Amino acid sequence: LTRWARHGALREGIMSEVVKAGGQVMGGISAKKAGQAQKKLAESNTAVIRATTKENTIRERRAGKRKKGAVRNLNLSSTDVIEDLAAELELAALTSEYEGALQAQGFVNQGRIAKNRGDAAFYGSLAGASGTLLSGASKAFTGGKTPAGSAGGSSLTTSTKTI
């Protein structure tokens, strides 16, 4: 091959590696954005669950007050019935509130996991792109050949002489 043909092939090889590395980085950026979008969706779901839980708790407490009033209207002389009913209704309201909080925390955790997966994919793509560029530089330096006696490692050899 002529000198110019070798340089053209070298340039094409280097450009190929650069394009491949760019594709890896773009894939990582895409994964990171997807993770961020999933996190925003989970945060939105969390807000909805918290609002719904608040409404359900208020509804449970209102229902409890109505039931207490109904029991009082029966003219039962025992206040134990009313107190037990009040405790039972408050427990129902608190249970609803707790279940909603658990659900909301689940969405928060899902959002964090999605964001971390996206970040990991992004940083993995940077590492892959770096490896691709280093591989391309190595091929350019060695002319695309693997040095004899190595599996792609350093092409530098040393020799020692005994005097």
Side-chain angles (χ1 to χ4, degrees), residues 34-58:
Q36 290 170 340
Q38 288 175 350
K39 181 178 185 250
K40 285 182 182 179
L41 177 62
E43 288 171 349
S44 174
N45 288 341
T46 300
V48 169
I49 289 296
R50 286 186 176 145
T52 302
T53 299
K54 186 176 181 180
E55 289 172 15
N56 288 343
T57 302
I58 291 169

Side-chain angles (χ1 to χ4, degrees), residues 108-122:
V108 168
N109 292 342
Q110 285 177 0
R112 287 179 183 154
I113 289 169
K115 181 189 177 301
N116 290 341
R117 281 185 185 149
D119 289 348
F122 174 68

